[in-house]
Every structure is written in structure tokens, then in C-alpha cells.
Amino acid sequence: MLASIFSLNVIQTALELGCIYALVALALFLSYSILNIADLSTDGCFTLGCAVACQVALTGHPFLALLAAMAAGVCSGFITAFLQTRLGVESIMAGIIVNTGLYTINLAVMGFSSTMSLVKTDTVFSIAKSALSFTGGGYKLVLAAVVIALAGAAMVGFLGTRLGLSIRATGDNAAMVRASSINPAFTITVGLCISGALTALSGGLLAQYQKSCDINVGTGMVTIALASLIIGETLVGKRTMVRRVLGVVFGSCLYRFIVAVALRFNVPAAAMKLVSAIIVAVAISMPAIQEKIAFEKRRNAARQARKERV
């Protein structure tokens, strides 16, 4: 039974999807953890990247499809930032407005069809299959790992630049940044544009990975990304930026592995939303649970010490 659950195929698929979805978690890491902004446009932006990538890939340009998806994500992030910084809309409301509007835009991109197929179309993964034939069946994992490694390295490097440090400072204290002659509206806009690009890139990769796109493919994506982010920060820690980024990737892969195990136990597809909600709840409450356990250990140690003195 255990051998069936932890088979190599299950682990490999979980790692492949974990690396792809880690881009969304990395985007949420920038917007939520660094900028301290709850960007709820993630679901629609993910679907937008998926739809744009499908349309461009159908013209025979799979690599250009990823760039086009990222450009679409930048536009989504810019509109979200514009609503916040220029029109005074609260971050949560701005995300909801953009996410709602993107539903119609995504339908239009998909030709007002709820699904698209890339079955007979070349994708970056089919190209990688030929270029990475020496890896056997691991070409998808290699490509996904390379993409998330480049994205993670770029994120660490960017956040160490002057602009990156300004974005980090904006999330910590926007008033202090403004007093330092740095425009927080600009740093927020840049941060959300990068976040949107990463989210859309993830959607574009997933579209070419599964050779299809569905209008509801992004539903619940912000919840999944948040769970991955918190799992990574809880288990790996967040002492350094490199460690935080690695934690995001690890959390995403672990989340996909948990979902894969649930499917192996024949959990009905209709119950997967409940499974996801439970994973998110446990992930979010993990820091409080750890603190409670540590407190109980200290209290028991103090009681033991008092008994020994008596």
C-alpha cells in the first residue's frame, strides 16, 4: 500500500506541479509577505496567463506564449496597482474588482469558449522532450525546476537591489519610505506587476503542461498559493531571503504531494476543495500551534523544576 502511495510517478508528478505552482506562491510572497498587500486578483491573473499562452501557442510559438502570458500578467498587476495607488481603492477591493473583470476578459481571450486544447500543438514540454531525451521521463521535471530556479534566483537578486530594497521598505513602513523621497505608489506598482507576471507565467506553463485551458482553472489559486507560502515559512523558516524563497518552493511541492496522496486514497474529486481548505487551515494555524506547544513545554519544565526544589 505504502509503495503504491509513494511511487516514483506520484512523487515526480507532485514535484512537477509543485515547481509550476511555486511561481504563484512566489508571486504571493512578493505581494503578501513583502509588500503586505492582499492581492485577490491572483485567480483571474492565473487564468489569463493560461488563456494567453494557449492562444499564442496555437500559432506555433510556445516560448513566445510564455512571454505573452507574462506581459498579460504585468497588465493585470498594473491595473490592480493603479486602482490602489491612483484611485484610492483598498487593496482587497482592487483585487476583487480586477478578478471579476478578468473573467470576461479571459473568456474573450479564449474566443468565448470555456475550454481550449493544445493536444496537437507543440509546447515547451514537447520541445524539451526532444532536447532532454537523456533524462528519460524526467524532462518535464527538469524544465519546471529550471524555470522556478531561474525565477527564484531572479527574485533574490532583485530584492537585493536598490529598487528591491525600496519595495521591501514599502511593505514594512510606507510612511517612512515616503519621507525618504521614495514614491510608494511606484514601488507598489512595480511589485504588483512582477507578481502578476509570475502568476501568469505559472498559468502559461500549466496550460502547456496539461495541454489545455479551462475558464475555471484559476479558481482557488490564491488559497493554494497562500497555503504553500505559509507551509514553507513554517517548516523552512524565514531568516534570510534565500531561505524564504526556498521555503516557498518547498511548501508548494509539499502541498502538491499532500494532494496527490489524498487522490491516491480515492478521495472524491468533489471533496478536494474540502481537502484544500483543511490543508490551508492547518498551514495557517501551524505557527500558533507551535507556539502553544512550546509554551506547554516551558510550563511543564517549570512545574518539574518546582517539584524538584520541593
Side-chain angles (χ1 to χ4, degrees):
M1 182 65 178
L2 287 175
S4 176
I5 294 173
F6 297 102
S7 66
L8 183 60
N9 186 44
V10 172
I11 296 174
Q12 181 176 327
T13 302
L15 289 176
E16 290 168 357
L17 290 174
C19 289
I20 293 174
Y21 284 114
L23 291 167
V24 189
L26 200 60
L28 201 68
F29 165 72
L30 181 59
S31 61
Y32 181 75
S33 294
I34 301 298
L35 277 173
N36 198 27
I37 292 176
D39 184 11
L40 297 184
S41 67
T42 301
D43 292 8
C45 186
F46 184 87
T47 307
L48 177 65
C50 191
V52 170
C54 273
Q55 286 289 15
V56 178
L58 285 172
T59 65
H61 302 284
F63 290 101
L64 183 61
L66 298 181
L67 296 179
M70 293 179 69
V74 168
C75 294
S76 173
F78 177 81
I79 295 172
T80 306
F82 183 81
L83 290 174
Q84 293 181 47
T85 59
R86 301 300 180 185
L87 301 184
V89 181
E90 291 291 331
S91 61
I92 294 178
M93 283 304 302
I96 293 174
I97 291 170
V98 172
N99 190 53
T100 303
L102 280 175
Y103 185 85
T104 302
I105 293 174
N106 293 336
L107 273 177
V109 172
M110 297 172 65
F112 291 98
S113 172
S114 60
T115 59
M116 292 183 68
S117 176
L118 296 176
V119 172
K120 297 182 180 180
T121 306
D122 285 335
T123 66
V124 291
F125 290 98
S126 62
I127 295 173
K129 184 177 182 179
S130 301
L132 301 174
S133 57
F134 60 90
T135 63
Y139 64 95
K140 290 183 178 180
L141 178 57
V142 172
L143 179 58
V146 168
V147 172
I148 188 58
L150 291 175
M155 177 69 73
V156 173
F158 172 73
L159 291 177
T161 63
R162 183 174 181 177
L163 178 57
L165 291 172
S166 298
I167 291 175
R168 293 166 66 179
T170 301
D172 290 334
N173 193 329
M176 180 194 70
V177 169
R178 190 178 293 107
S180 302
S181 301
I182 298 174
N183 185 3
F186 175 73
T187 55
I188 289 173
T189 301
V190 172
L192 290 182
C193 284
I194 295 174
S195 177
L198 289 171
T199 301
L201 174 60
S202 179
L205 273 177
L206 184 68
Q208 298 194 49
Y209 176 84
Q210 61 185 16
K211 289 199 169 190
S212 65
C213 176
D214 184 270
I215 190 62
N216 296 315
V217 70
T219 303
M221 195 54 58
V222 65
T223 307
I224 294 172
L226 181 61
S228 302
L229 177 63
I230 295 176
I231 289 173
E233 289 185 345
T234 302
L235 298 181
V236 179
K238 46 184 179 179
R239 295 179 182 177
T240 64
M241 193 57 63
V242 174
R243 195 165 184 172
R244 296 178 74 177
V245 170
L246 289 175
V248 169
V249 180
F250 174 76
S252 178
C253 292
L254 181 59
Y255 178 89
R256 299 314 309 182
F257 181 73
I258 294 172
V259 171
V261 171
L263 291 173
R264 278 286 177 167
F265 277 108
N266 297 321
V267 175
M272 287 310 299
K273 292 294 183 182
L274 177 60
V275 173
S276 298
I278 293 173
I279 296 173
V280 172
V282 172
I284 293 176
S285 60
M286 190 65 69
I289 294 174
Q290 288 181 334
E291 185 176 343
K292 181 69 175 177
I293 292 174
F295 174 76
E296 290 295 332
K297 287 183 178 179
R298 291 194 299 270
R299 188 168 68 173
N300 291 334
R303 288 177 178 174
Q304 188 65 29
R306 283 197 301 268
K307 289 180 179 179
E308 291 177 355
R309 285 198 297 268
V310 173

